[in-house]
């Protein structure tokens, strides 16, 4: 691809990113999220579908107290498009990022609701918009994510959104590819 073609793609992705907005996850969203979490393209990477009670316990806890994890619904042109969350990596607990000493590091996780919208550049645009939102906070030093090393689609999405692979790490969910996006 030539430089002009690459610039055109970048410009299209940036204008697409402007169509995304984010709103905090609400208790009323939990049935929708529960249904999304059971979809095959979610369970492939996020694990077995949780029960509604498990969704209410985990995500409801974050809704009530978003000090550690900030759960959001990603909206494309005002319509629910996917789930996205950020969290403070340092002190996140449960065996996650135990060696992290920088309070400015944010981790992110997300997924697109509808499998028919995968591989169309929408995930990249969503991640770019979310990263831009997180970097409006001057305390955020860098943003990291940790896809499964076999999840080539997610890795490519993050690369296109400005993340770079640091290396494989062991997490409570198994081996992951640590990827970082700096200011």
């Amino acid at each position: 691809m030539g430089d002009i073609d690459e610039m055109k793609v970048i410009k299209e992705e940036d204008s697409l990113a402007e169509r995304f907005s984010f709103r905090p996850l609400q208790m009323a969203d939990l049935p929708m999220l529960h249904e999304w979490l059971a979809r095959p393209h979610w369970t492939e990477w996020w694990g077995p579908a949780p029960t509604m009670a498990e969704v209410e316990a985990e995500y409801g806890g974050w809704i009530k107290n978003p000090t550690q994890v900030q759960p959001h619904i990603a909206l494309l042109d005002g319509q629910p498009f996917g789930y996205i969350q950020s969290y403070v990596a340092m002190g996140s607990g449960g065996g996650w990022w135990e060696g992290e000493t920088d309070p400015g590091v944010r981790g992110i996780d997300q997924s697109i609701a509808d499998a028919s919208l995968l591989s169309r550049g929408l995930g990249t645009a969503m991640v770019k918009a979310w990263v831009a939102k997180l970097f409006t906070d001057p305390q955020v030093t860098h943003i990291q994510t940790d896809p499964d090393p076999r999840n080539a689609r997610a890795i490519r999405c993050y690369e296109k959104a400005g993340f770079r692979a640091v290396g494989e790490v062991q997490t409570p969910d198994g081996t992951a590819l640590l990827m970082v996006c700096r200011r």
Side-chain angles (χ1 to χ4, degrees):
M1 185 182 302
D3 289 343
I4 293 174
D5 291 337
E6 287 180 25
M7 289 175 25
K8 182 180 176 187
V9 168
I10 290 169
K11 194 174 216 178
E12 288 172 3
E13 287 175 353
D14 288 344
S15 65
L16 185 56
E18 294 170 5
R19 294 172 48 198
F20 279 93
S21 59
F22 307 94
R23 68 168 171 75
L25 184 69
Q26 302 165 4
M27 293 301 285
D29 295 322
L30 295 185
M32 174 180 69
L33 181 61
H34 176 252
E35 192 271 323
W36 290 354
L37 286 160
R39 292 180 177 179
H41 72 286
W42 285 58
T43 60
E44 179 179 9
W45 303 112
W46 288 47
T51 66
M52 186 63 194
E54 291 168 331
V55 170
E56 288 171 347
E58 182 171 5
Y59 294 88
W62 294 339
I63 291 168
K64 293 173 187 162
N65 183 13
T67 56
Q68 190 63 30
V69 176
Q70 295 78 46
H72 286 75
I73 294 294
L75 305 167
L76 177 60
D77 298 327
Q79 298 301 310
F81 173 80
Y83 174 79
I84 196 159
Q85 67 185 29
S86 63
Y87 58 90
V88 176
M90 187 177 96
S92 55
W96 291 96
W97 317 118
E98 291 179 343
E100 186 57 65
T101 59
D102 180 351
V105 176
R106 298 296 179 268
I108 62 171
D109 302 293
Q110 65 281 317
S111 191
I112 295 172
D114 188 344
S116 71
L117 298 176
L118 296 172
S119 299
R120 295 175 52 187
L122 296 168
T124 298
M126 176 179 70
V127 171
K128 282 183 175 182
W130 187 243
V131 165
K133 177 179 172 44
L134 292 177
F135 276 142
T136 63
D137 180 347
Q139 295 181 6
V140 174
T141 57
H142 70 268
I143 300 165
Q144 66 184 37
T145 191
D146 58 339
D148 186 301
R150 298 166 297 159
N151 191 342
R153 180 175 40 234
I155 291 166
R156 181 68 185 128
C157 167
Y158 295 127
E159 288 172 341
K160 288 172 37 182
F163 286 76
R164 296 296 165 247
V166 174
E168 289 188 0
V169 294
Q170 292 304 310
T171 74
D173 288 341
T175 302
L177 179 63
L178 178 61
M179 301 184 76
V180 172
C181 182
R182 301 197 184 278
R183 284 188 182 275

